Each structure stands twice: as structure tokens, then as C-alpha cells.
């Protein structure tokens, strides 16, 4: 692993994490670094992201074991909190992300880029499109990553600037057609209700586990809340998106206390945090 840089997204990667690792590895190679997109060994791709990722070539990804972390050099994408990926015993030379800056990144990573774009892939494109050429395939990957992270342009975090950048890719697309082709509702399997789109998130001095459900109605909302209440998690951030009514329910467990909030629109975890 000597002299190699591994560009890695968060564990249980989504489409944006995968695409961002590919794009940033290409950027670093363009700058002369020996960089490779990477994924953690035995990591699982989110079920509702597989329809997207099946259209993306990931054959060039390197697999990183837990033993590789101490001897490797890493560049983080689509997260800047190492609790979400390689933990704390790693040499990290930089990161690019579109989430809130973590205390760890603030204190330990020198080259940090934080963007307010709706997807990390779009942030990479915005920053480097005047410097390096992006292929048609890369642009298509950016579109898919942004559709995924913007909830098909329904997210409260999707802005006019995001739309302008998407249009600058010059790839004709129809959002409704892409939704019908790629969107997969969350599983309603009782054993999976709290583990979908799962993340470990550091908020202040506290570590939260977090999961998201996207369903066509609120039929499973009370079941979701009760599962959170009865879970062994000390801190849990649950997000339930009702697609048909365009509403989001946020359930926060802190110890034995449960808080519930309702929002109009499809609210992202990034916005909630």
C-alpha cells in the first residue's frame, strides 16, 4: 500500500459515495498521485441503491481490510467523520464532502473541502470541471448520484445552483422517468426497519446511530417508532419519508426519551443534523 492513496466513502456506501470515490481518484491521478477508489472489505451496498450502482463500473475499486487501515493513506469523500468509515487510526490527507464539518476533521485533517451542493459528486464536478475533463460516463454517474442524494430533486437541500450544475452536464434527463426506473422503496421487513441507510454519526460529543425509511405512506410509522423505543441504541436518529404525501417524520431517541417531529417535504439527514 506504500505511496498509494485510497479514496474511500462511508461504510454501507450509497451511489454518491461510490461515484465520488471514482471521481476524486481520477482527480488525484490527474494531479500525479497514485490514487485508487476503495471500499471496505465485506461492506454492504444499500439495497435501495443497487439499481443505481448496477449502472456504474466499480471493477477498479480496491478492497480495504481493517488491517490495511493503519498502514494506508486515505482521502475521504462523502463524509468527514471517520466514525462512518475507517475509524481513527488512519493517515488521512484530505477530504471533500457536503455534510457538516465534524470536530475530528476540524482538528485532524488539513485539506478539507466542505460544499453546500446536494451531492458530493456534484461538488467534485463544480470544483474541478474547469481543471480536468470529465467523460460522458462520469457525467452520467454524477447525474445518477445527484438523483439519489437529492431524492430525485425533491430534497429540501436541492437548490437552483444544483439544478444549474446538472444542466451544465448537458445530459438530457427526465426526473420522473429516472424515479420510475431507479427508485426502490425501503424494505418493511421487521428485522430491517432500523438498519436501512444506516450510519454512525457524531453530533457534538455524542455518537448516534441513524437509519432512514422511504415508503409510500405512513402505514409503518408507528411500528418504526416502537422499534426505536425498544431498541438497545442509546442515541438513535430515525427518518421516515412518506413519499406520496411528501412529508418527513424525524424520531430521535436519547436514552429513554423519544422526540418526534413532522416536516413538510422530503428532508435529508444532512438537513436535519
Amino acid at each position: 500500500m506504500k505511496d498509494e492513496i485510497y479514496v474511500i466513502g462511508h461504510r454501507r456506501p450509497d451511489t454518491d459515495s461510490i461515484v465520488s470515490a471514482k471521481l476524486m481518484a481520477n482527480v488525484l491521478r490527474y494531479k500525479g498521485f497514485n490514487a485508487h477508489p476503495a471500499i471496505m472489505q465485506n461492506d454492504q451496498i444499500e439495497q435501495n441503491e443497487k439499481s443505481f450502482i448496477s449502472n456504474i463500473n466499480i471493477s477498479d475499486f480496491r478492497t480495504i481490510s481493517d488491517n490495511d487501515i493503519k498502514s494506508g493513506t486515505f482521502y475521504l469523500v462523502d463524509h468527514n467523520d471517520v466514525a462512518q468509515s475507517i475509524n481513527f487510526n488512519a493517515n488521512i490527507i484530505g477530504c471533500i464532502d457536503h455534510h457538516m464539518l465534524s470536530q475530528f476533521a476540524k482538528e485532524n485533517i488539513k485539506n478539507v473541502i466542505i460544499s453546500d451542493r446536494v451531492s458530493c459528486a456534484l461538488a467534485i464536478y463544480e470544483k474541478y470541471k474547469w481543471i480536468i475533463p470529465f467523460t460522458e460516463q462520469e457525467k452520467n454517474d454524477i447525474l445518477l448520484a445527484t438523483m439519489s442524494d437529492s431524492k430525485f430533486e425533491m430534497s429540501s437541500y436541492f437548490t437552483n445552483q444544483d439544478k444549474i450544475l446538472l444542466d451544465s452536464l448537458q445530459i438530457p434527463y427526465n426526473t420522473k422517468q429516472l424515479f420510475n426506473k431507479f427508485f426502490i422503496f425501503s424494505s418493511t421487513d421487521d428485522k430491517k426497519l432500523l438498519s436501512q441507510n444506516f450510519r454512525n454519526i457524531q453530533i457534538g460529543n455524542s455518537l448516534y446511530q441513524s437509519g432512514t425509511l422511504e415508503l409510500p405512506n405512513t402505514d409503518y410509522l408507528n411500528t418504526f417508532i416502537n422499534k426505536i423505543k425498544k431498541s438497545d441504541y442509546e442515541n438513535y436518529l430515525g427518518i421516515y419519508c412518506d413519499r406520496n404525501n411528501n412529508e418527513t417524520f424525524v424520531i430521535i431517541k436519547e436514552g429513554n426519551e423519544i422526540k418526534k417531529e413532522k416536516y413538510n417535504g422530503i428532508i435529508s439527514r444532512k438537513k436535519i443534523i
Side-chain angles (χ1 to χ4, degrees), residues 91-273:
N91 178 28
I92 303 169
I93 63 166
C95 75
I96 184 167
D97 192 17
H98 65 133
H99 299 98
M100 180 176 67
L101 181 64
S102 69
Q103 192 64 33
F104 174 86
K106 190 182 298 184
E107 295 175 355
N108 297 281
I109 305 177
K110 291 183 178 180
N111 302 304
V112 179
I113 301 169
I114 299 295
S115 170
D116 57 1
R117 297 282 62 80
V118 74
S119 72
C120 186
L122 202 60
I124 294 170
Y125 174 70
E126 180 180 44
K127 182 167 183 61
Y128 295 105
K129 64 188 177 77
W130 304 113
I131 301 172
I132 70 171
F134 285 82
T135 67
E136 289 303 306
Q137 183 58 58
E138 287 173 331
K139 291 179 180 180
N140 190 69
D141 291 348
I142 293 167
L143 174 64
L144 293 183
T146 304
M147 285 295 108
S148 173
D149 256 34
S150 71
K151 310 297 184 184
F152 296 88
E153 301 183 348
M154 290 181 64
S155 168
S156 59
Y157 234 83
F158 186 73
T159 67
N160 185 55
Q161 182 58 28
D162 293 316
K163 178 63 175 172
I164 290 171
L165 283 167
L166 278 183
D167 290 342
S168 74
L169 296 172
Q170 297 185 325
I171 298 176
Y173 70 94
N174 181 293
T175 307
K176 185 175 181 180
Q177 289 178 358
L178 290 173
F179 178 88
N180 292 335
K181 180 178 180 179
F182 290 108
F183 184 76
I184 299 174
F185 283 112
S186 302
S187 171
T188 54
D189 183 335
D190 190 65
K191 295 180 180 178
K192 298 180 179 178
L193 285 182
L194 302 190
S195 62
Q196 295 175 79
N197 197 18
F198 189 84
R199 302 284 184 273
N200 290 313
I201 300 173
Q202 191 78 30
I203 303 177
N205 294 322
S206 300
L207 181 66
Y208 287 73
Q209 280 70 46
S210 178
T212 300
L213 293 183
E214 292 190 64
L215 293 170
N217 48 50
T218 57
D219 289 358
Y220 286 86
L221 178 59
N222 287 334
T223 303
F224 186 53
I225 294 171
N226 287 330
K227 289 284 286 187
I228 294 172
K229 285 180 180 178
K230 296 176 181 179
S231 74
D232 294 330
Y233 296 120
E234 179 67 21
N235 299 311
Y236 188 89
L237 171 63
I239 302 167
Y240 189 111
C241 299
D242 176 357
R243 275 280 177 177
N244 286 354
N245 293 304
N246 197 32
E247 294 176 335
T248 301
F249 298 86
V250 177
I251 303 93
I252 301 173
K253 178 185 179 185
E254 295 175 331
N256 295 319
E257 185 179 357
I258 294 288
K259 302 175 185 177
K260 176 186 169 186
E261 297 287 345
K262 177 182 175 181
Y263 298 91
N264 293 323
I266 303 301
I267 309 297
S268 67
R269 179 159 39 203
K270 170 184 174 181
K271 184 75 170 179
I272 293 164
I273 294 172

Side-chain angles (χ1 to χ4, degrees), residues 11-15 18 39 42-54 58:
R11 289 182 185 264
R12 302 189 68 167
D14 55 16
T15 309
I18 291 289
I39 190 171
N42 300 321
D43 215 347
Q44 296 180 341
I45 291 172
E46 294 288 352
Q47 183 64 35
N48 63 337
E49 297 285 337
K50 289 183 177 179
S51 60
F52 282 112
I53 294 174
S54 64
I58 59 174

